């Protein structure tokens, strides 16, 4: 059985943890309005076990990119048994995914290393190799709180049946309408892009109503 939405966030148990993403929990709270599985601090192994069973994958975790070596990875809250907590591009590309959309709500997920004759190899590219036809990625180190707001708006627009690129455009417009003047700089909202298959999704609310 393929389920609709799997959303994973980054959460640290340590008060001194500098990598804690407060916006990650806000994203998960917003996505809780839709039918699916919401995991506040899953291990890398837990994500691998579940990922093939969902149509939409949402990862609000840390993106760690090395544009020289191409050693890109997503950082999960807990390593899990026999895992280091870092989901590398080579691991992602070897997954057999059935998802229609992967939303990589992490820093620099469209950034990668390229060489002559080779495509730009990024975290997003790895999900494409794993079989995901549509991606929502970041162009730079995105700001945590602004991204949480943008993602909430984005899923609202996806839920009413807009194509993915238009849903993201409308989300950015809504963000600009509601953000304070100091947070309307493009740094806060322009870093997200939609790539690949642009067809609408069919999300379901927790109340069981098709949207």
């Amino acid at each position: 059985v393929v389920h609709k939405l799997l959303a994973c966030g980054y959460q640290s148990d340590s008060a001194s943890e500098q990598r804690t993403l407060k916006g990650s929990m806000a994203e998960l709270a917003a996505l809780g309005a839709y039918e699916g599985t919401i995991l506040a601090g899953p291990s890398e192994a837990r994500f691998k076990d579940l990922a093939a069973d969902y149509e939409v994958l949402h990862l609000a975790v840390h993106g760690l990119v090395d544009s020289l070596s191409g050693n890109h990875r997503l950082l999960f809250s807990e390593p899990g048994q026999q895992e280091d907590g870092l989901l590398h591009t080579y691991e992602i590309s070897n997954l057999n995914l059935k998802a229609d959309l992967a939303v990589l709500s992490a820093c620099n997920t469209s950034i990668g290393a390229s060489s002559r004759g080779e495509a730009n190899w990024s975290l997003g590219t790895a999900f494409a190799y794993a079989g995901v036809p549509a991606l929502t990625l970041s162009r730079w180190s995105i700001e945590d709180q602004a991204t949480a707001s943008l993602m909430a708006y984005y899923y609202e627009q996806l839920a009413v049946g807009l194509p993915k690129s238009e849903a993201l455009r409308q989300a950015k417009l809504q963000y600009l309408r509601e953000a304070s003047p100091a947070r309307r700089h493009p740094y806060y909202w322009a870093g997200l892009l939609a790539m690949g298959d642009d067809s609408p999704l069919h999300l379901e609310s927790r109340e069981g109503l098709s949207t």
Side-chain angles (χ1 to χ4, degrees):
V1 176
V2 178
H3 306 284
K4 180 54 69 177
L5 170 67
L6 174 63
C8 301
Y10 183 91
Q11 187 176 46
S12 172
D13 293 331
S14 172
S16 62
E17 172 61 75
Q18 297 300 307
R19 295 181 182 272
T20 295
L21 293 173
K22 295 180 180 179
S24 175
M25 296 302 104
E27 286 185 43
L28 296 191
L31 296 183
Y34 308 102
E35 197 64 43
T37 301
I38 309 296
L39 301 176
S43 66
E44 173 195 356
R46 179 70 170 148
F47 172 75
K48 287 178 177 179
D49 287 343
L50 294 175
D53 296 328
Y54 288 83
E55 296 177 18
V56 179
L57 302 174
H58 184 99
L59 292 170
V61 295
H62 283 287
L64 307 176
V65 169
D66 187 333
S67 58
L68 294 178
S69 70
N71 183 25
H72 315 317
R73 58 266 192 224
L74 295 170
L75 174 63
F76 283 78
S77 304
E78 300 293 340
Q81 294 183 349
Q82 299 180 336
E83 300 283 0
D84 60 3
L86 295 168
L87 184 62
H88 293 259
T89 50
Y90 66 86
E91 296 176 287
I92 297 166
S93 62
N94 285 323
L95 297 174
N96 182 20
L97 300 177
K98 303 177 183 67
D100 298 319
L101 171 66
V103 179
L104 305 187
S105 183
C107 292
N108 300 305
T109 52
S110 70
I111 304 300
S114 60
S115 60
R116 183 177 299 176
E118 295 289 338
N120 187 45
W121 186 256
S122 66
L123 287 162
T125 308
F127 275 89
Y129 268 73
V132 183
L135 306 165
T136 302
L137 307 173
S138 62
R139 304 172 195 263
W140 52 69
S141 296
I142 51 179
E143 201 272 339
D144 189 28
Q145 301 293 332
T147 301
S149 297
L150 282 162
M151 287 300 175
Y153 302 150
Y154 181 40
Y155 276 84
E156 288 174 2
Q157 299 300 326
L158 288 173
V160 299
L162 290 182
K164 301 176 188 76
S165 61
E166 180 61 18
L168 185 57
R169 189 179 80 89
Q170 291 297 329
K172 291 176 179 180
L173 291 173
Q174 185 173 352
Y175 173 84
L176 288 170
R177 288 193 295 269
E178 299 187 10
S180 65
R183 296 177 69 81
R184 291 177 191 158
H185 187 280
Y187 163 71
Y188 291 99
W189 58 268
L192 298 175
L193 70 157
M195 301 179 64
D197 179 16
D198 200 35
S199 59
L201 294 173
H202 299 286
L203 298 175
E204 294 183 355
S205 71
R206 285 289 180 182
E207 291 73 24
L209 300 176
S210 294
T211 57

